[in-house]
Amino acid sequence: MNERAATGLAYAATDGAAYDIFLGRWTERLSQPFLDFIDPPDGALLDVGCGTGSLARAMKHRWPERRVCGIDVSDAYVAFACGQADAEIDYRVADAMKLPQASNTFAAAAAQLVLNFVPDPRVALREMMRVTRSGGVVAASVWDFRGGLVFQRMFWDTAAGIDPGAGQVRDKLFSGALALPDGLEKLFDESGLERVRRGSLTIRMDYASFDDYWEPLLGGQGPVGTYAAGLDPDLRRQVKASVRAAFLSGAPDGPRSLTATAWAVRGRVPQRR
Ligand SMILES: C[S@@+](CC[C@H](N)C(=O)[O-])C[C@H]1O[C@@H](n2cnc3c(N)ncnc32)[C@H](O)[C@@H]1O
């Protein structure tokens, strides 16, 4: 897997409040089945690429007595997470490819929807293994963009029919190595982690209306936000009208519940010599 082979796309992460309404409200839901899947042994926990803190908060709520840390490369997201924390969580601005924590610190390190945006996921995974003690768990999830992410599928396929530029971004996102069914699993297998296991986690994104779906896309976060917010006004009007028709599907505006599935993989850190 080459540098940036995961998606070829960097993640625009400039505004914590915009992220929270765009995706954080849903990643909060995904954190619950992901924590069940991680099933960490006793000890401290690390959320790698914590964003606005969905997984770190879920960890702290589930295991209040444990030390929980979160790192993200975005200072805007980390600042927002610090403002949200209703529990004591140690957040830091840091790169997943160079974690600031000492070796053998954690019982588990987990990255939710992050590794496909990191320049070299192998390096990030090596770092997660380094900071996790022998016998501890390293876990990651990535959206199943191709087969399981209705809110993005609807947007990109509709926009690609109007603007070939949308098709190019979609193809990078949907066909990146880690978005494929066995992508994360291969990465974990090649890393030296033991007892590697794959799962598939599904949540529902419950939108109140088309505006509740559309407006958060204009906040400029992530590849879809970068694309939608950067469109010239005429093209954006066309894309919006077509995406609206897809969202409504011939029925009056109102609530829509869209499924969202992520691939998840976990492995055990082997005994160190
Ligand atoms: C889709 S968001 C997921 C955020 C969070 N884990 C969640 O579940 O809401 C991707 C996150 O990866 C972070 N990220 C991207 N590259 C990173 C890197 N090299 N090191 C740390 N975080 C990174 C972004 O800043 C962003 O917060």
Side-chain angles (χ1 to χ4, degrees):
M1 200 175 296
N2 299 323
E3 274 216 353
R4 291 228 176 269
T7 57
L9 297 165
Y11 199 92
T14 54
D15 181 333
Y19 177 80
D20 222 43
I21 189 77
F22 158 61
L23 202 60
R25 59 178 162 160
W26 310 125
T27 63
E28 205 171 289
R29 288 189 180 179
L30 183 65
S31 296
Q32 296 304 332
F34 190 37
L35 280 188
D36 296 340
F37 177 81
I38 299 168
D39 189 19
D42 282 347
L45 304 168
L46 176 64
D47 176 4
V48 175
C50 61
T52 50
S54 288
L55 182 64
R57 277 196 305 279
M59 287 168 164
K60 194 69 190 173
H61 283 145
R62 201 177 280 205
W63 298 290
E65 74 291 351
R66 296 198 196 190
R67 182 171 161 238
V68 174
C69 303
I71 71 96
D72 198 283
V73 78
S74 162
D75 46 8
Y77 285 8
V78 168
F80 189 87
C82 289
Q84 291 297 298
D86 52 338
E88 205 179 291
I89 296 168
D90 176 8
Y91 288 114
R92 296 188 207 176
V93 176
D95 192 330
M97 305 220 304
K98 201 173 177 212
L99 293 173
Q101 285 88 3
S103 301
N104 305 313
T105 300
F106 298 99
Q112 177 166 271
L113 312 176
V114 177
L115 290 186
N116 52 330
F117 296 114
V118 167
D120 190 337
R122 290 166 308 182
V123 175
L125 188 57
R126 232 175 5 246
E127 276 293 90
M128 291 169 74
M129 291 169 67
R130 178 185 65 75
V131 300
T132 305
R133 63 169 155 77
S134 297
V137 171
V138 171
S141 64
V142 291
W143 286 129
D144 175 11
F145 282 97
R146 262 194 199 180
L149 195 58
V150 176
F151 94 108
Q152 294 233 7
R153 188 42 103 182
M154 187 161 62
F155 178 89
W156 290 114
D157 287 350
T158 306
I162 298 166
D163 171 22
Q168 285 165 13
V169 185
R170 175 197 60 195
D171 295 351
K172 283 184 183 169
L173 262 181
F174 286 30
S175 295
L178 293 189
L180 306 184
D182 60 354
L184 260 187
E185 196 174 8
K186 273 190 187 156
L187 181 75
F188 272 51
D189 277 337
E190 288 164 8
S191 72
L193 283 160
E194 294 177 342
R195 288 193 266 162
V196 172
R197 184 159 70 77
R198 186 205 318 179
S200 157
L201 315 174
T202 297
I203 57 158
R204 298 202 75 94
M205 297 177 164
D206 295 307
Y207 294 98
S209 63
F210 176 68
D211 282 352
D212 188 35
Y213 167 90
W214 179 260
E215 293 300 323
L217 300 179
L218 305 181
Q221 306 306 292
V224 69
T226 303
Y227 172 82
L231 279 172
D232 81 64
D234 270 354
L235 194 51
R236 190 187 305 148
R237 260 192 295 279
Q238 285 179 55
V239 170
K240 180 178 179 179
S242 294
V243 174
R244 186 170 189 275
F247 182 91
L248 299 183
S249 301
D253 197 359
R256 298 289 189 278
S257 183
L258 310 181
T259 56
T261 297
W263 298 116
V265 173
R266 78 194 287 282
R268 288 256 178 199
V269 176
Q271 286 299 321
R272 296 192 171 97
R273 271 167 256 145

